Amino acid sequence: VIKCKAAVAWEAGKPLSIEEVEVAPPKAHEVRIKIVATAVCHTDAYTLSGADPEGCFPVILGHEGAGIVESVGEGVTKVKKGDTVIPLYIPQCGECKFCKNPKTNLCQKIRITQGKGVMPDGTSRFTCKGKQIYHFMGTSTFSEYTVVADISVAKINAAAPLDKVCLLGCGISTGYGAAVNTAKVEPGSTCAVFGLGGVGLAVIMGCKIAGASRIIGIDINKDKYAKAKEFGATECISPQDSKKPIQEVLVEMTDGGVDYSFECIGNVGVMRAALEACHKGWGVSVIVGVAAAGQEISTRPFQLVTGRTWKGTAFGGWKSVDNVPKLVTEYMSKKIKVDEFVTHTLPFDKINEAFELMHSGK
């Protein structure tokens, strides 16, 4: 058993608490990882807020991490002690009907136990002050050591800087893949990206790499426009600058609507606007943002009858074990940006400050 520091969420709506936790050794088909770096994501904040119906407490959050394999359980063959890895919140078992289908990346092998905050055998590897602590998204990267299923880990280039590539565990991969895998953006197309946080910037990057000729960034926070343009946005607009609904503004700006739109916020009203900003006959809108529990999307069916397509994406459509190492290679060869997404680097005990910076849009 390893004793180490972890940021524990004891209950919903309260700041994380840095505690000493015990991390049990990996059982069969499990891997124990020394986490070197982790990022914070809105999904962590969503669960911490108490709005997530799958949220269990007390829990160790975090799902964008990178580290070194400390030990492996019986039967583990894909990784060994000392390997550099990224934990995966969407695993890839290679055996379930989802993994065998090229149309999806949504491996279901451990979905049920992962959603309940436990390892595939139904138990936890974390304890603190004599209490069992739940796992989160199969990763729990807000701990100096974590245990994951062996299908939830990608071995990556050992030379990669872990304080950067941890971001490929969720946000950057999700946005980039939404553009290149889910929407399949084509050269010369016009795109609109709603929400210019980390995921939105990654969508912009994907649209640019795919050859889009016009990329319109949409956000009410104008402080984000300069960064969006660095990533490839050709122009940025705020919905608050017009009396008309933003979809009407975009339809006018683009002679009928955009070819591709992306919602990167998790707001069902914006999801509707993003669909309705698409061009009649061929426009495709991709939902990337995660809306709060119980919310529903709506539009007039005529929007779809007249040739628009509404899609969604999880982790950018990447089959995780196969593609995360390739994304790291693309970063190392400068095909995709990663360093530019990092705004602040903080010591682990300042993790609550990291959440404050995220909520303030900084």
Side-chain angles (χ1 to χ4, degrees):
V1 175
I2 289 177
K3 288 187 173 179
C4 68
K5 283 196 300 186
V8 177
W10 288 106
E11 54 183 301
K14 294 280 168 72
L16 302 177
S17 175
I18 302 288
E19 306 279 4
E20 183 180 77
V21 298
E22 294 86 43
V23 185
K27 294 188 183 178
H29 294 289
E30 295 177 3
V31 179
R32 187 159 61 180
I33 302 167
K34 178 181 196 227
I35 296 288
V36 175
T38 186
V40 297
C41 171
H42 276 283
T43 311
D44 304 305
Y46 169 60
T47 298
L48 185 59
S49 73
D52 181 356
E54 272 197 352
C56 321
F57 294 89
V59 63
I60 295 172
L61 299 169
H63 63 284
E64 291 184 320
I68 310 292
V69 174
E70 177 274 333
S71 59
V72 299
E74 193 188 325
V76 175
T77 55
K78 300 267 172 72
V79 293
K80 62 185 187 305
K81 182 178 175 168
D83 282 349
T84 304
V85 294
I86 289 177
L88 307 167
Y89 73 90
I90 294 182
Q92 187 186 351
C93 71
E95 295 163 1
C96 70
K97 68 178 179 181
F98 289 80
C99 282
K100 287 180 171 165
N101 191 321
K103 295 178 180 175
T104 185
N105 62 331
L106 295 173
C107 173
Q108 296 296 297
K109 182 82 178 261
I110 60 173
R111 177 73 195 93
I112 292 167
T113 48
Q114 181 173 314
K116 289 178 177 165
V118 290
M119 294 300 288
D121 72 346
T123 62
S124 168
R125 301 291 163 268
F126 298 120
T127 48
C128 181
K129 298 177 180 172
K131 287 194 176 128
Q132 172 183 289
I133 308 291
Y134 286 108
H135 293 250
F136 178 67
M137 291 177 75
T139 53
S140 290
T141 60
F142 293 172
S143 175
E144 291 178 326
Y145 287 85
T146 190
V147 179
V148 305
D150 63 352
I151 58 171
S152 302
V153 62
K155 181 182 172 180
I156 61 161
N157 184 334
L162 300 188
D163 60 329
K164 305 294 193 294
V165 296
C166 61
L167 289 166
L168 293 170
C170 178
I172 297 177
S173 306
T174 297
Y176 177 44
V180 299
N181 297 331
T182 309
K184 297 186 167 62
V185 171
E186 295 159 321
S189 54
T190 298
C191 302
V193 181
F194 292 76
L196 301 176
V199 174
L201 293 175
V203 171
I204 290 172
M205 175 175 78
C207 292
K208 184 179 179 183
I209 289 170
S213 58
R214 192 171 178 192
I215 304 168
I216 305 164
I218 300 126
D219 202 300
I220 56 177
N221 181 351
K222 296 187 176 182
D223 295 342
K224 299 195 168 188
Y225 293 179
K227 196 84 171 167
K229 287 178 179 166
E230 274 174 46
F231 277 88
T234 51
E235 61 220 284
C236 294
I237 58 174
S238 168
Q240 295 176 338
D241 286 352
S242 171
K243 294 231 169 31
K244 289 181 183 166
I246 188 68
Q247 52 266 55
E248 287 182 26
V249 174
L250 285 160
V251 165
E252 282 175 15
M253 280 173 68
T254 56
D255 184 28
V258 299
D259 302 312
Y260 301 97
S261 71
F262 302 86
E263 197 279 355
C264 307
I265 302 159
N267 177 312
V268 292
V270 178
M271 291 172 188
R272 177 173 190 159
L275 176 80
E276 295 177 358
C278 282
H279 203 287
K280 183 189 283 190
W282 63 76
V284 174
S285 186
V286 181
I287 294 174
V288 192
V290 177
Q295 297 201 316
E296 298 184 348
I297 48 172
S298 62
T299 188
R300 289 177 305 133
F302 195 67
Q303 292 285 332
L304 301 177
V305 170
T306 50
R308 294 169 194 82
T309 303
W310 220 343
K311 301 181 94 167
T313 189
F315 196 55
W318 301 107
K319 297 232 185 220
S320 59
V321 174
D322 291 345
N323 287 294
V324 167
K326 293 178 185 168
L327 290 166
V328 170
T329 302
E330 287 194 2
Y331 157 65
M332 301 288 277
S333 62
K334 300 212 166 16
K335 185 187 170 187
I336 61 172
K337 292 176 157 66
V338 174
D339 297 13
E340 293 82 353
F341 285 88
V342 180
T343 57
H344 300 74
T345 303
L346 300 166
F348 187 34
D349 56 12
K350 295 262 173 66
I351 191 161
N352 288 306
E353 274 182 42
F355 278 91
E356 285 161 24
L357 286 162
M358 182 173 67
H359 286 307
S360 66
K362 293 182 175 149

